[in-house]
């Protein structure tokens, strides 16, 4: 998480994709959520979707912070309908909602 928050994002990706697997450690939802939050901050929607697919393929728990990161990524590039659709899609597939503040952010961006 520190790598994502302090601008060493490529290092965080290397740890997730190379270092952890080499040591026989499987990344958990916390690791993926930190990566998703970093990707959301820079608005990299393509990578956000890719890492969400990786999470679901590896059967890693999707929680409210996962949904929040996904919605934030769309909002950071100005895609309000994408954020709303992503929240709805994740709810339909995983029965998981983001924190209520995410709904407020979507409404605020829409106004």
């Amino acid at each position: 998480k520190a790598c994502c928050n302090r601008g060493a994002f490529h290092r965080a990706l290397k740890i997730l994709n190379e270092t952890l697997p080499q040591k026989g450690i499987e990344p958990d939802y916390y690791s993926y959520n930190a990566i998703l939050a970093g990707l959301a901050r820079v608005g990299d929607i393509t990578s956000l979707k890719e890492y969400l697919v990786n999470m679901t393929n590896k059967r890693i728990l999707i929680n409210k912070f996962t949904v929040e990161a996904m919605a934030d990524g769309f909002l950071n590039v100005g895609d309000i309908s994408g954020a709303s659709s992503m929240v709805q899609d994740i709810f339909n597939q995983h029965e998981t909602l983001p924190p209520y503040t995410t709904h407020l952010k979507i409404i605020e961006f829409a106004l």
Side-chain angles (χ1 to χ4, degrees), residues 1 3-5 9 12-13 31-44 47-48 69 73 76:
K1 185 173 180 179
C3 291
C4 294
N5 291 337
F9 197 70
L13 290 173
S31 304
Y32 274 95
N33 284 344
I35 296 294
L36 290 174
L39 291 169
R41 202 171 297 118
V42 297
D44 188 348
S47 295
L48 268 172
N76 285 339

Side-chain angles (χ1 to χ4, degrees), residues 9-22 25-28 30-36 51 54 58 60:
F9 197 70
H10 291 291
R11 183 169 182 210
L13 290 173
K14 183 176 180 181
I15 291 169
L16 181 78
N17 294 324
E18 296 174 20
T19 306
L20 291 178
Q22 286 174 353
I25 301 170
E26 286 296 319
D28 59 3
Y30 189 80
S31 304
Y32 274 95
N33 284 344
I35 296 294
L36 290 174
Y51 277 95
N54 288 344
K58 292 180 179 182
I60 295 172

